[in-house]
Amino acid sequence: MAVLDGRSSPSSDQESEISDILDLKNDEGWEDVEPDVESLAFVSFFDSEIFTDLSSLLDYMREKWDFDLRRVRRELGLDFFETMKLVNYVRSEVSSGNQSPDVSSKLPFADDRYLRPSLAEDAVLYSLGDLENTEHGDGQSSGGEPDDSKACERILELEEQLRQAKQTIDDLRLQLTDHSDIHETMLKDTARTDAYRDFIYSNKQAFKDKVVLDVGCGTAILSMMCAKAGAKRVLAVDNSEIIHKARANVFLNGLQDTVTCIHGKVEEIELPVDKVDVIVSEWMGYALLYEAMLDSVIWARDRWLVPGGLMVPCDMYLCIAPLADSNLYMDKISFWNDVYGFQMMPMQEGIFEDVLLMDCQESTIPSRIKDKRRPHFLHLDLYTAGLADLAFSKLPFSVELSRDVDALDGFVIWFDSVFGREERSETVNELSTGPDAPYTHWMQTVAMIDHLERKAASLGRGHIVRGFVSYERPQQNQRQLKITVSWTTERPDTSDTADTAHPEIGKQSWKLE
C-alpha cells in the first residue's frame, strides 16, 4: 500500500508535553519515603478539622462520619495505589457535595484520574504506608513494642512501587510521543473534525443530560465536544497509551467531572453504567474498513446502547468510480522503463498488487460523481449492521462514462459518512472523502489495472462500466483487506463513433496491509 499525498498537511515542530498529572519526578514529597511528620497537617475528608497524626484523623472520621478507611481498605483488598485513588475519590465526592461516597466496591474510583491529588499537599497520601501500623496505634505492634521489621519491609515495598511507577511513566512518555503525529494529522483534518463538531453542536438537544460512550477516543476531542454540548457524562475509551494524554487533555480543559477516560479494549472493560444514550466514534479506515474499529463499535452498540439511542455517525456509503489517469500510469509504471538511461522493469513486479492512497483530481474521474444519486455499492446502517456485513462478495456497481477515455486505468474507492437523520428530528451533516470533496487524511483508495497483463481499450462517452466488488478480511488479521473488482464495459448503442469495438472485461485483486 503506497501513500501519495498531493496536498500535504502543514507540519509543526512543537512536541506535545505530558501533563503534570503524569509527571511524578517533579512532585515534591514523592522522593522522601519518610516525610517529616511533624510538619504535616492531616485534614479531614468531610470537614475542616485538622489533626497532627494519621491515627487521630482516622479515628475521628470513623466516629464522627462513620467512615473507616482502615476497614474499607482491608475489605476491598486495596493496594497502595488503589488506596491513593480511594482517598482522592472520597475527597472529590465530598467537595462536590456528596457526603456519602459509594465505597462498596473498587469500581467508583477505578479510574486513574483519582491518582491526581484532590487536596494539594495531602498529608494522608504521604502517610499511606502507616495505615497498617495505625491498626494498633501509631506504629505499635499488638504486643505494645515498635515493629521496626514490618516498617522497614513496608518502606522497601513502597520504594519499589515508586521506582516501578516512575519507570512506567518514563516508558509512557516515549510511547505517547510516538503516537502524537497521527493524532495531529487527524485533528488538522478539518473536514473530518468539523463534520463531527458541526453535528454535535447543531444537535445539542440529542446530547443534553445524556450518557455518551466514545469508542476509540484518541485525544478525547470528540468526548470534550460532547461534554460542551451538555452531556451529563462521557465515557472515553481507548486501548492505546494515548489515553493518558487524553486524560491530561480533559483535566487541562476542566472537564474531568464530566469526561471519564478508561484504558482498555471496549470488549473487555466494564463501564460504570448499565447503558449509554449515545455512541460516538471516529472508527473509519482507508477504503472504510482497512484497520477500522467498526467491530468494536458494533459490539459496544449491542452491549450498551439503549433502545432508540443515537449512533454518530449513523450511515456509511462505500463508493466507486472509474479512473482515467495516464500521468499516474506513466509515473508509477512507465517510469521504470528508462531511469537515467537504465532499464529497471523488474521494479514493476508486484506494483499492481497493492492499492495506492492518494488525493485524486476530479478531472481524472470520467464519470459524474456530483449527481444526487450517490455512486455507492454498499450502504451500512450503523443502527443495524452486524459483523457479517464487514466482509462481502460481489456487490454490484454500475457507472456511466461522461467523456471519452483512452483507457480505463483503474478504480477509485472512497466513503461518505452521514450524521443524523431527519426522521429523528436531527440536523443532518455529511462527510465525504471523495475526489470532489475537500481533502481528508483518508484521501482515496486507488486500484490500478494491470495493463501489462491485458491491453487497454479506449472507451467512449456514455459507455457503461459494470461489475462487482468484494472485500475479504484475512483470517490472520481481520483489520486488513483484500479488494477484488470484476468488470465489463458495454457500448450504449451502435451509433457511438468512438473506437469501442473491443469492450474490456477483467478481474483483479489488490491488498491493503
Side-chain angles (χ1 to χ4, degrees):
M1 176 179 63
V3 179
L4 305 176
D5 185 356
R7 289 183 285 182
S8 299
S9 301
S11 62
S12 171
D13 294 332
Q14 294 182 335
E15 294 290 341
S16 300
E17 296 182 353
I18 303 297
S19 168
D20 288 342
I21 186 177
L22 299 179
D23 190 359
L24 294 184
K25 287 186 175 180
N26 296 325
D27 284 355
E28 296 181 0
W30 283 97
E31 298 297 336
D32 298 325
V33 178
E34 295 181 353
D36 185 0
V37 177
E38 292 182 354
S39 64
L40 298 179
F42 295 83
V43 182
S44 169
F45 296 2
F46 301 92
D47 52 33
S48 58
E49 291 296 319
I50 299 176
F51 300 84
T52 57
D53 64 88
L54 179 60
S55 182
S56 298
L57 168 65
L58 299 182
D59 292 341
Y60 168 78
M61 291 193 298
R62 184 185 68 246
E63 297 170 4
K64 173 71 174 179
W65 296 99
D66 194 28
F67 177 78
D68 191 338
L69 180 61
R70 303 182 190 96
R71 179 181 57 79
V72 172
R73 178 176 180 269
R74 185 172 59 253
E75 291 181 352
L76 297 182
L78 305 182
D79 61 21
F80 177 80
F81 291 105
E82 290 172 327
T83 306
M84 181 186 298
K85 290 182 180 180
L86 170 63
V87 171
N88 293 323
Y89 160 72
V90 173
R91 288 198 186 278
S92 175
E93 288 293 294
V94 171
S95 67
S96 299
N98 179 15
Q99 292 283 34
S100 300
D102 179 10
V103 293
S104 59
S105 70
K106 298 180 183 180
L107 189 59
F109 51 90
D111 197 294
D112 285 348
R113 67 189 175 107
Y114 291 116
L115 288 173
R116 184 187 182 99
S118 297
L119 176 67
E121 301 296 327
D122 192 346
V124 175
L125 299 181
Y126 296 150
S127 307
L128 288 181
D130 297 334
L131 273 179
E132 290 182 0
N133 292 331
T134 60
E135 295 283 353
H136 304 293
D138 288 336
Q140 300 294 317
S141 68
S142 57
E145 296 298 327
D147 193 347
D148 292 336
S149 62
K150 287 187 177 180
C152 290
E153 290 177 2
R154 185 57 178 164
I155 289 172
L156 293 175
E157 179 185 347
L158 292 176
E159 287 179 331
E160 177 60 16
Q161 288 179 347
L162 183 59
R163 186 195 65 78
Q164 292 178 1
K166 289 181 176 180
Q167 182 61 51
T168 299
I169 291 169
D170 287 340
D171 293 341
L172 288 177
R173 284 192 178 93
L174 295 176
Q175 296 178 34
L176 293 177
T177 299
D178 291 342
H179 285 77
S180 293
D181 288 347
I182 181 60
H183 292 285
E184 179 181 351
T185 297
M186 290 190 290
L187 290 173
K188 287 182 175 179
D189 183 345
T190 55
R192 160 205 180 263
T193 309
D194 286 357
Y196 279 88
R197 179 203 61 188
D198 292 348
F199 175 78
I200 293 170
Y201 289 169
S202 297
N203 293 274
K204 290 185 177 181
Q205 77 284 352
F207 293 86
K208 183 174 175 55
D209 298 327
K210 296 295 194 297
V211 177
V212 179
L213 173 61
D214 183 356
V215 179
C217 66
T219 60
I221 181 66
L222 301 183
S223 295
M224 292 189 287
M225 287 179 179
C226 292
K228 287 291 188 181
K232 176 175 63 176
R233 188 171 191 183
V234 183
L235 305 172
V237 179
D238 204 296
N239 189 42
S240 75
E241 301 303 329
I242 194 64
I243 193 69
H244 303 288
K245 280 191 174 179
R247 184 176 294 114
N249 292 338
V250 169
F251 270 92
L252 186 62
N253 289 275
L255 296 171
Q256 64 272 16
D257 292 336
T258 303
V259 181
T260 300
C261 294
I262 302 173
H263 189 194
K265 293 182 179 179
V266 73
E267 296 90 345
E268 298 176 357
I269 62 170
E270 286 295 331
L271 294 182
V273 296
D274 293 329
K275 293 292 181 180
V276 299
D277 304 296
V278 180
I279 292 180
V280 60
S281 180
E282 195 274 78
W283 54 264
M284 300 83 80
Y286 298 119
L288 185 62
L289 296 179
Y290 172 67
E291 289 192 339
M293 299 186 301
L294 185 52
D295 312 55
S296 298
V297 173
I298 291 174
W299 193 96
R301 178 201 67 195
D302 294 343
R303 169 65 178 83
W304 283 303
L305 189 65
V306 299
L310 174 63
M311 295 291 294
V312 182
C314 60
D315 292 279
M316 289 288 172
Y317 295 88
L318 259 174
C319 305
I320 191 169
L323 174 74
D325 190 347
S326 58
N327 290 331
L328 175 63
Y329 192 90
M330 290 289 293
D331 181 60
K332 299 298 294 181
I333 310 300
S334 301
F335 167 77
W336 298 108
N337 295 339
D338 184 354
V339 182
Y340 288 91
F342 299 96
Q343 296 182 14
M344 294 189 177
M345 280 80 80
M347 301 300 295
Q348 296 173 343
E349 183 179 354
I351 203 166
F352 293 104
E353 296 177 2
D354 295 315
V355 301
L356 304 176
L357 300 176
M358 58 181 292
D359 184 27
C360 296
Q361 300 299 314
E362 190 176 353
S363 59
T364 64
I365 310 299
S367 64
R368 297 181 178 89
I369 56 179
K370 289 186 176 181
D371 292 348
K372 290 184 178 180
R373 183 179 179 275
R374 197 187 309 265
H376 69 278
F377 60 89
L378 174 69
H379 168 220
L380 285 177
D381 181 341
L382 273 300
Y383 288 105
T384 59
L387 296 180
D389 298 317
L390 307 189
F392 44 83
S393 178
K394 295 184 177 181
L395 295 184
F397 73 92
S398 176
V399 292
E400 179 181 342
L401 298 188
S402 57
R403 60 179 172 85
D404 297 347
V405 297
D406 294 331
L408 179 62
D409 293 316
F411 296 94
V412 180
I413 296 174
W414 71 93
F415 65 87
D416 292 346
S417 305
V418 178
F419 301 75
R421 293 180 177 175
E422 292 181 355
E423 60 266 30
R424 293 172 57 100
S425 299
E426 296 159 354
T427 300
V428 178
N429 192 30
E430 295 193 17
L431 166 64
S432 176
T433 65
D436 62 326
Y439 172 87
T440 73
H441 75 281
W442 289 287
M443 297 179 281
Q444 292 87 48
T445 301
V446 175
M448 295 185 64
I449 294 175
D450 187 353
H451 289 323
L452 300 179
E453 291 292 329
R454 61 177 63 83
K455 183 178 180 180
S458 61
L459 300 173
R461 180 177 181 270
H463 260 70
I464 306 297
V465 180
R466 301 185 192 278
F468 299 92
V469 183
S470 300
Y471 270 32
E472 180 183 347
R473 308 174 77 191
Q475 193 65 36
Q476 64 273 22
N477 190 337
Q478 290 288 295
R479 290 192 172 182
Q480 294 183 358
L481 277 181
K482 177 184 177 182
I483 300 176
T484 301
V485 179
S486 58
W487 71 94
T488 184
T489 60
E490 299 178 8
R491 297 173 61 178
D493 55 58
T494 56
S495 63
D496 195 332
T497 58
D499 182 14
T500 57
H502 303 286
E504 182 169 335
I505 300 175
K507 180 179 181 180
Q508 190 173 330
S509 297
W510 302 263
K511 62 181 184 294
L512 289 85
E513 60 181 17

